[in-house]
Structure formats: C-alpha cells, structure tokens
Amino acid sequence: MGSAKGFPLHLSPPQVLVLGFAGVILAGALLLMLPVSTASGRGTDFLTALFTATSAVCVTGLVVVDTGTYWSTFGQVVILLLIQVGGLGFMSMATFFFVIMGRRIGLKERLLIQESLNQLRVAGVVRLVRAVLIFTVLTEGTFALILALRFSLDYGWPKSLWLGLFHSVSAFNNAGFDLMGGFRSLTGYASDPVVNLSITTLIILGGLGFATVMEIYRYPRTRRLSLHTRLVLRVTGLLILGGSFLFGLLEWGHILKDLPLHGKILASYFQSVTPRTAGYNTVDIGQLYPPTQFLIIILMFIGASPGSTGGGIKTTTFGLMSVTIFSLSKGKEDVELFRRRIPPWQVYKALSVTLLSIGLVTLVTMILSITEGGNFLAALFETTSAFGTVGLTMGITPALTPVGRVAIILTMFAGRLGPLTLAYAFAQRRRKTMVRYPEEKIMVG
Amino acid sequence: MGSAKGFPLHLSPPQVLVLGFAGVILAGALLLMLPVSTASGRGTDFLTALFTATSAVCVTGLVVVDTGTYWSTFGQVVILLLIQVGGLGFMSMATFFFVIMGRRIGLKERLLIQESLNQLRVAGVVRLVRAVLIFTVLTEGTFALILALRFSLDYGWPKSLWLGLFHSVSAFNNAGFDLMGGFRSLTGYASDPVVNLSITTLIILGGLGFATVMEIYRYPRTRRLSLHTRLVLRVTGLLILGGSFLFGLLEWGHILKDLPLHGKILASYFQSVTPRTAGYNTVDIGQLYPPTQFLIIILMFIGASPGSTGGGIKTTTFGLMSVTIFSLSKGKEDVELFRRRIPPWQVYKALSVTLLSIGLVTLVTMILSITEGGNFLAALFETTSAFGTVGLTMGITPALTPVGRVAIILTMFAGRLGPLTLAYAFAQRRRKTMVRYPEEKIMVG
Ligand SMILES: [K+]
Ligand SMILES: [K+]
C-alpha cells in the first residue's frame, strides 16, 4: 500500500476509510451493549451488538434480534444515526461538521471525501457534499411526513412520526431496518400504494448515486448527461423492469395468489426494487420458489450504482461487462458505449471487482454451508445479501452460529468498503509501466 | 456472422463445426434407437437416444439409462465411437480419413481443423492432427492393456479386454461413460491404485490439450515452453493439489471414513481430478457434504485446457483472469504473465467466455429449478456438469423431466461447442475499428 503524503500515521485514503468505518462500528456496538439500549433494560452481548452495529453502519439490515421489539427507542435512535453516518459515508459527515464549524478544508480532506463518495475528480467535492446533505435532508424529510401520515391510520401520532422518520431514513440509505416487529419487515403493506411507492422511490433515489441525481436535477439547464449517468439510468431501468416481470411471472399463482391485481403488480415491483440493495420485503422471502430466490440473489449481487448508499458490484460494473461482451461480439477492438471508448484499465477494473466479489461470495457461502448445515440456497442467499449490503434473508439470520455471525459481519464490512475501496486502491496506485514486455497470445475458452 | 469465402453454402468454420457435431449426434441417436442397440432387444425412444448420443459426442457422460446394463455390446460400440469422434473433434477424424485416403487437404479444410482443435496458427495443423492421432492411439492402447489386466482379476478375459478398452478411451476423451452397471461409475475401485492412477493419468493427458502435450514431449530437445503451456501447467497443478487437499479436509471423517489411509488419499486425488472434466467418480457424489459438492461445482466450471477433450471455461481463461486481477492490484496498466504482456482483446475474450458461461449456467439452473423442483444445489450441480461436459451428478439425471432432458441436451451441446466456437467466432471477426471514439470514464465498483 503506497502511503499518501501528509496523512496522519501515513495512512492512504482507503486505509483511513477502513479504520474510520471500523471505529464508528465499534462505538456503535459499545452504545448498543448498554442496558438503556434495550426494551427489556438488560444489556446485550458483544457479538449481537457488533452484528447490529455493523449491519447499520454498512446499511445492510440483516438482524439477529428484531429491531422493533428488542431495542429501546434510545437503541433505535443509535441505529438510525449509525445508518445515516454509514449511508452518507463518514467523511461526508465529517465534512459537514467541518463546514458548520467554519474550519478550512484542505486538499487531504478533499482527497478523502473524493474516496468516500467514489468520485472521479477532486474538484468540487465540498460543493458536492453540501448538495448531498441538502438533498438528503429534503428527501428524507418529505417522505418521513408522507409515511407518517400513512402510518397514522394504524398507529398514534408521536409513534407514526417516529415510524415515518425511521423508515424514510432507513429506505433512503438502503439500510432495510424496520420497526414493524417480529422480523416482519413491510409484509403488512404488500398492497398499500403509499408505502410501496414512497419506499421504492426512496430506495431508487438513494441507490442512483448522488452525482447522478445532481446531473438529472440540472439536466433541464445543462441538456447534457455524462456517459456514467446514461449507463446508470439504462441499467437501473432494465433491471427494475426485467426483475418485476420475472418476479410476477414466477410467483403470480404462488406467493402473490391472494393479493388483488394492483397488489400483485405493486409486490412484483417492490420485490424487484428492494434486492438492489434496500432489503425491505413485502412478501415472505423464505416462502418464494427457489428460482425466484435465485433471481433475487442475482439482483442482490448486481446491486445499486456507485457513489450511492447501496452496495453490490454496482450497475455500471455490470453494464460495462455487458457492453464488453457486446463490443467483442461485433468484432471491435475497443469497448464502446454510446459512441465513447472505455479505456482498457476500466474494463479490467470492472472485471476485477466482479471476480473478487464472486470469489468472496463463494468463499463465505462455503463457510456458511459448513457451519450452518442445512439449505445451500439459504447460505448463498444470506452471503450475497450480506456482501451486497441488502439485508434480505430466507430466515436463517437469527439462528446463525457464532462463526456464521462473524463471517457475515466481515462480509458486510467487506461488501460496504470492498469493491469501492479496493477499486480505488487499484486506481490510485496505477502508474505507468516502466518495462513493457513483448506480447504473447494464449488460447482462451 | 460473416461468411468465409469458398465454404460449401458459404458457412463460416464455426457454423460448419456446429452443423457437423449436430449431424454426428443425430446419426448416433438414430443408431441407438435400433432394437439391436439395447440389451433387452427393444427399441429406445428418441429423447433417450438423443440424450445418450449428445452426452457421448459432447464427451459429457451424463446418462438417463445405465450404460453397462441398458445397451447391448453393439450399442456400447456405437457410444464408444461417438465418444472418440466427439473427443478428437470430428474435423480431426475427417482429416484422418482424408490422409489415409491420400486426398489433398486444402486451405479451407486446414482452417476448419484449426478451428476444431482451437489452435492459434493455421501452419502445421495437418502435422498436428497426425501427431494427435498417433498419441491418442498409443495412449489409449497402452492403458487399455493395463486396465484389462487389472479387470481380469474380477472378470473373464474377453470381457476384461472390452472393459479396459472402453474405460481407457472414455477416460482419455474425458467422457466419463462406464460399464460397471447400476450407475455405479468406479465406486467399486475407490482404493485401487491401478485403476485410480491409470484413469487419472488418462484424464490429465487428455485434458492438457494436444499442443501442450506435444510441447512437453519435445521439451528435452527444444528447451522452450510457450507462455500458453506454462500457464496450463501452473493452473492445472494448482487446481489438482488444492482440490485434493480441500476434498480430503472436508470429507476425511465423512465419505472417506471407512477407507484405508491410501484409499483416503487416492479418493481425494481422484475426486479432485475428475471434475475437470472427466466425470468418473469413486465415491457417491450425492452423499458428499454440500460444501464439497460446491467445491466440485467450482472445479467443473473451470474445467480442462483448450484444445483438449475436456470442457469448462478452461484453465487458461481462469488463469488469465487471476493474472489480470494480480496485475491490476500491482498498479500495472498492462496484464503481465511470466514477463509477457497479454493483449487487451485476449483479456476481454477471457472475460466474455466466463461471463457468457455464468449467464448460461444461471439460466439453465433457473429452468431446472422450475421444472425439476426440489434441491437447488442438485440443479446447479447438474447444469454445471452438463455445461462443463463433466458428467458427474448428484443423482437426478435418470429422473429428469422431458423439459429438463432437453435443457441438459442443449447445455451439453453449448458447453462442448460454445466457449470454444463462440470465442473463435469473436476472434475471427476481429477487425480494425474504423472510427475510434474519444475515451470517457465511468465509475466502477
Ligand atoms: K440494505
Ligand atoms: K465428461
């Protein structure tokens, strides 16, 4: 690891990010261990607290204890703060405090923010953070009110406001935590248009990536969308449409059977949006057909867009690989997209992120299938969910063995930081090759 | 598809190969439908005959009826011929007949052979075919005798010779068909050194690729190994060693429990070699732990080396992708291996082969998990086995539904021709790009 100049202890930006995230998780775990954090007033063991804090900071949503009934309101507030810090990235939060405290933000802080938000350029990152924060507060606030109005039909007023705020923040940050009790997630609202459309809109806005949202916001004036944004929109649209269609096709006469027509359509749409990588569910995931569960695994693996609150290998990585195959099959030497050429090292990077991710999921699935016994598909599902920071489960999370819990904790952490930070570690240490070796071919495939 | 000049009906070499394979399969299926082909003297339905012929020509070894008891000796001879034609590639066979009939072999035939053997150069392909045939006959003959001697301890003499020949040809061609009866494969010989070492040596020799074997054979004189051969040897060695170690580790106290020490070691070694992509087994695959079955799925997916009788995405594809990740993580712009630079289009090709293969396996697994119900891991295993032309099964093949049978037939066909022919279709149609678009970056991962 090359050390950047001037950082404390000579840490590179990826290293600072890793330590920062770890620090926030540990602080959160300690808070959650306190008796005041639980509804029962008893303390919580370290592994359970660590699991919950990691799941919150990594905006995953996998839980070993039920969020709505196990934790006190204080504990839930801690979880919500961890989600917000984890979702925006702790550097954005730190910048926010720098700004309101009137401190000057130097180049090294800017480099860290760039890393934290996965941006291509250093210029304008502070302005970006300000815009991100305004956008976040406005969006979360608006939908918190809409959801609170809806929940007020079922609950009293202060409770409804808290439910609206919690689920709005959790959905926008693609965290997937819920307060409905009994590990039920949003299954009580499978046919409800307000909850379905509010939550999916929050998920999609949070998952597009801030830079993309900004570009779309400015589009009426600029009349220009970057290659990145066009790819994000194309892939996101195709995955949501294709996913909804396939889910409906597979489950129409099964899990969707008893829902009214609009409920069938809403539930198909919801279950197509949520694997990328929100983690709420309005139908019981464990009761789906295996092919549907497999479809969800694929969607979870692809995930959201870069520089967003979501995880997975990212839409652009998936899109770039599809484009590579397409360009190659047309006999082109360059990888081309929307009349632009993609540099080879970017294609290599997409490939590396994907293969490292496949390797990680394979390894952890193998560990879980040893330690947890039983259903292989459930192990693959749980691992992919943790890697993609999704939070959906076929139901095995609360019963995980200690080794399984630790494996999932590490996978959530690697999933939140890995593809992003590993990729940036690659990109930053890229240097001109001094010696260029002669080419030689290999027979492939 | 660009059509090459001068081929009959203006077919490109990949198209000729696809039609040729399909023709051989169809002819084989018709022969197997005859009453004379079965032990019972009754005819066989078309789908069963087609499944068996496809499995033989694609050197897969998945069977819906037991080879040793269902088919007559005539039927078994037909199967053995289909294996030999399919294993060497039908163009090598055609060349062989051209040669012995003294006919001149023109450029277009040479192009086809090059395609059929997945060679990088046209020059010397006819000499290569001659060497391949000699090498094949010598190897198969030698081990047929060794195995016949071993089988003579358990069977009478003409029977032992037939068993020796059949299993030698089937192992060298990585076909995995056996005559032991009751779908038992070689489980009766789990601790037998002669059978274990003969069969694994045949599998490895057949799976290295003819060009690689020739290079190693000439090495004492030339003192040079190509980049290709060095990569093949490195990856093959690592996979066999790593696979044996992991298999032993997982199954030592389970499926290997009742074997003597040397039997434990032999069985671990055998079960590490056979998924790549021979298809014999000496322990019951359906009884292994799920993590072990998953390990075998991974080995089956990687498969053998290019220009061999084996399938899968190939060792070089796997190796090239690992090297790409390694080069990238060292911050290099080029992909480098053994002090050689790999051209970007080769990396793209490896990537495309792998991703298309993952896509195919994913799709067929989804189909099987719909049509066959039940165990997801068994569906994934069966699909990967068919795609990699391996022939191992967790036991669901004989009970496949008609839709499942057709899906597996198409997967075996695509697996035998696909990665190879698709890849060559890519490579041949590669042309200089006329317009080079400006570069633009995308956020990845
Ligand atoms: K999530
Ligand atoms: K085979």
Side-chain angles (χ1 to χ4, degrees), chain B residues 58-62 173-177 274 277-280 385 388-392:
Chain B
C58 300
V59 291
T60 307
L62 289 172
N173 287 291
N174 276 265
F177 280 81
T274 187
T277 61
Y280 283 125
S385 179
T389 70
V390 181
L392 296 173

Side-chain angles (χ1 to χ4, degrees), chain B residues 79-112:
Chain B
I79 289 171
L80 200 63
L81 289 174
L82 293 176
I83 289 172
Q84 190 66 82
V85 172
L88 287 182
F90 82 102
M91 272 315 294
S92 311
M93 297 302 287
T95 311
F96 173 66
F97 288 113
F98 274 126
V99 171
I100 57 173
M101 283 157 44
R103 275 191 50 179
R104 202 187 141 273
I105 297 168
L107 179 60
K108 57 187 178 186
E109 285 84 12
R110 283 166 207 267
L111 279 170
L112 261 173

Side-chain angles (χ1 to χ4, degrees), chain A residues 58-61 173-176 277-280 388-391:
Chain A
C58 300
V59 290
T60 307
N173 287 290
N174 276 264
T277 61
Y280 283 124
T389 70
V390 181

Side-chain angles (χ1 to χ4, degrees), chain B residues 171-435:
Chain B
F172 179 74
N173 287 291
N174 276 265
F177 280 81
D178 72 273
L179 299 181
M180 295 304 163
F183 300 102
R184 272 187 300 150
S185 193
L186 301 175
T187 50
Y189 297 91
S191 297
D192 187 279
V194 177
V195 172
N196 270 275
L197 297 178
S198 299
I199 297 285
T200 47
T201 305
L202 282 163
I203 292 170
I204 294 171
L205 284 176
L208 281 177
F210 301 114
T212 298
V213 173
M214 296 297 148
E215 255 192 75
I216 298 168
Y217 176 72
R218 293 198 200 103
Y219 180 72
R221 265 173 301 142
T222 61
R223 294 267 147 210
R224 191 197 172 266
L225 290 179
S226 67
L227 187 64
H228 175 81
T229 291
R230 282 188 285 168
L231 184 60
V232 164
L233 293 177
R234 179 77 62 96
V235 175
T236 302
L238 286 176
L239 287 177
I240 291 176
L241 281 179
S244 307
F245 176 77
L246 277 176
F247 187 94
L249 195 70
L250 286 165
E251 297 288 339
W252 199 264
H254 184 233
I255 205 102
L256 301 173
K257 196 169 41 137
D258 299 328
L259 296 179
L261 180 64
H262 79 277
K264 286 186 170 70
I265 294 169
L266 280 176
S268 298
Y269 172 65
F270 194 96
Q271 258 65 231
S272 168
V273 169
T274 187
R276 329 229 336 285
T277 61
Y280 283 125
N281 52 297
T282 62
V283 299
D284 185 348
I285 301 294
Q287 296 301 315
L288 299 174
Y289 282 133
T292 320
Q293 292 165 335
F294 190 42
L295 170 69
I296 290 179
I297 288 175
I298 296 166
L299 292 173
M300 294 198 297
F301 186 75
I302 299 171
S305 301
S308 77
T309 56
I313 60 167
K314 304 291 183 306
T315 53
T316 49
T317 308
F318 177 73
L320 199 47
M321 292 191 305
S322 311
V323 168
T324 301
I325 293 180
F326 187 75
S327 285
L328 215 65
S329 72
K330 301 270 267 183
K332 292 176 178 167
E333 281 200 3
D334 290 332
V335 173
E336 293 167 6
L337 171 67
F338 300 130
R339 298 182 165 271
R340 289 288 180 280
R341 177 160 48 92
I342 312 291
W345 67 266
Q346 280 223 312
V347 178
Y348 296 163
K349 195 168 129 183
L351 163 65
S352 301
V353 167
T354 307
L355 293 178
L356 283 173
S357 303
I358 290 177
L360 178 68
V361 169
T362 302
L363 181 70
V364 178
T365 301
M366 192 163 279
I367 292 171
L368 284 196
S369 72
I370 295 171
T371 61
E372 310 304 310
N375 190 331
F376 173 81
L377 190 56
L380 178 63
F381 196 102
E382 193 81 3
T383 305
T384 313
S385 179
F387 162 75
T389 70
V390 181
L392 296 173
T393 178
M394 283 169 60
I396 68 171
T397 326
L400 284 176
T401 61
V403 175
R405 285 188 182 198
V406 171
I408 291 295
I409 287 173
L410 293 174
T411 308
M412 292 192 286
F413 193 69
R416 178 70 177 125
L417 282 165
L420 181 147
T421 302
L422 281 177
Y424 256 76
F426 289 155
Q428 287 204 332
R429 282 178 292 139
R430 197 163 57 86
R431 52 173 167 74
K432 291 283 168 208
T433 310
M434 289 304 138
V435 185

Side-chain angles (χ1 to χ4, degrees), chain A residues 158-215:
Chain A
K159 172 88 171 168
S160 295
L161 210 55
W162 174 230
L163 289 179
L165 180 67
F166 189 94
H167 291 96
S168 178
V169 172
S170 178
F172 179 74
N173 287 290
N174 276 264
F177 280 82
D178 72 273
L179 299 181
M180 295 304 163
F183 300 102
R184 272 187 301 149
S185 194
L186 300 176
T187 49
Y189 297 91
S191 297
D192 186 280
V194 176
V195 172
N196 271 276
L197 297 178
S198 298
I199 297 285
T200 47
T201 304
L202 282 164
I203 293 170
I204 294 171
L205 284 177
L208 281 176
F210 300 115
T212 298
V213 173
M214 296 297 149
E215 254 193 74

Side-chain angles (χ1 to χ4, degrees), chain B residues 39-90:
Chain B
S40 67
R42 275 177 302 222
T44 303
D45 67 285
F46 177 67
L47 194 54
T48 301
L50 183 69
F51 193 101
T52 308
T54 308
S55 185
V57 173
C58 300
V59 291
T60 307
L62 289 172
V63 289
V64 287
V65 293
D66 181 68
T67 315
T69 52
Y70 181 87
W71 304 106
S72 66
T73 304
F74 175 79
Q76 291 167 0
V77 171
V78 169
I79 289 171
L80 200 63
L81 289 174
L82 293 176
I83 289 172
Q84 190 66 82
V85 172
L88 287 182
F90 82 102

